[in-house]
């Protein structure tokens, strides 16, 4: 369970009335019992938002987010169904197909759950090793994912589709030296 400030206006309102930012004490990570149950007990600072991450090896990671949680309230999420996931592995290479080390690769899901609903996590990331290989930090649910890189522009693939029938997906990330600069231009005119 994570908590952090929920935007400038909410923290400004809090500071106006209280003078200093509230302290957040993150509860310890919890492992479910043999019956699958879990619980967090904490004091939610009013100007904070919260997220919950659920992970287990081989299953798709889930997450939920709350823009606010009322102090003294109880949020019962009921049964949360965890399904088999897909682990993304592969290697990062440059245009000449040489290994590229230290590149952060992200896999971002196109759809994420709305506020207050636990569903598929936004995605996963990995950092390529000396030989260019990587293994994503967690398994994700099947679906469509956008691929991104940090150090060098991405050539391919821009998107990947993960399916339940393949619990491990191996891909090659190809970087480019091309300048990714994009221009947006236009002309603003009045009504006439």
């Amino acid at each position: 369970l994570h908590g952090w400030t929920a935007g400038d206006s909410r923290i400004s309102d809090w500071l106006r009335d209280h003078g200093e930012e509230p302290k957040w004490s993150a509860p310890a990570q919890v492992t479910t019992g043999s019956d699958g149950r879990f619980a967090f007990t904490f004091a939610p600072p009013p100007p904070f938002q919260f997220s919950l991450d659920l992970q287990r090896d081989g299953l798709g990671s889930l997450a939920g987010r709350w823009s606010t949680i009322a102090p003294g309230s109880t949020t019962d999420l009921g049964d949360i169904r965890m399904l088999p996931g897909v682990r993304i592995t592969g290697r990062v290479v440059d245009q000449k197909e040489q290994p590229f080390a230290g590149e952060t690769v992200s896999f971002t899901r196109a759809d994420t759950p709305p506020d207050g609903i636990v569903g598929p996590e936004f995605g996963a990331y990995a950092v390529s090793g000396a030989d260019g290989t990587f293994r994503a930090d967690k398994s994700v649910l099947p679906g469509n994912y956008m691929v991104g890189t940090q150090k060098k522009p991405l050539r391919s693939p821009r998107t990947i589709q993960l399916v339940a029938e393949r619990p491990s997906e191996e891909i090659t990330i190809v970087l480019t030296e091309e300048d990714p600069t994009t221009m947006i231009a236009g002309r603003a005119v009045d009504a006439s």
Side-chain angles (χ1 to χ4, degrees), residues 90-113:
R91 59 190 294 251
V92 178
V93 298
D94 62 19
Q95 286 179 284
K96 298 174 184 167
E97 297 189 14
Q98 296 301 306
F100 191 88
E103 179 62 77
T104 299
V105 183
S106 61
F107 306 95
T108 307
R109 192 175 175 91
D111 59 325
T112 54

Side-chain angles (χ1 to χ4, degrees), residues 153-169:
L154 174 68
R155 173 180 249 171
S156 67
R158 300 276 182 184
T159 60
I160 58 173
Q161 182 176 21
L162 305 177
V163 295
E165 293 76 26
R166 290 195 306 269
S168 181
E169 186 72 34

Side-chain angles (χ1 to χ4, degrees), residues 164-181:
E165 293 76 26
R166 290 195 306 269
S168 181
E169 186 72 34
E170 188 168 339
I171 62 172
T172 299
I173 304 292
V174 182
L175 305 175
T176 183
E177 295 296 332
E178 297 169 8
D179 182 358
T181 303

Side-chain angles (χ1 to χ4, degrees), residues 12-51:
S12 293
D13 291 347
W14 174 270
L15 290 173
R16 184 179 54 246
D17 296 336
H18 298 87
E20 64 180 16
E21 286 192 27
K23 303 291 186 243
W24 166 246
S25 296
Q29 182 173 313
V30 170
T31 300
T32 57
S34 60
D35 61 357
R37 293 184 185 278
F38 66 92
F40 289 97
T41 302
F42 62 100
F48 274 52
Q49 58 188 329
F50 306 91
S51 68

Side-chain angles (χ1 to χ4, degrees), residues 51-89:
S51 68
L52 173 70
D53 298 330
L54 293 98
Q55 295 178 14
R56 181 177 174 190
D57 286 344
L59 300 179
S61 298
L62 301 175
R65 186 169 180 164
W66 293 263
S67 58
T68 186
I69 296 177
S73 66
T74 297
T75 302
D76 186 349
L77 301 175
D79 290 345
I80 301 169
R81 189 170 179 213
M82 296 191 77
L83 301 170
V86 179
R87 179 73 73 155
I88 308 166
T89 62

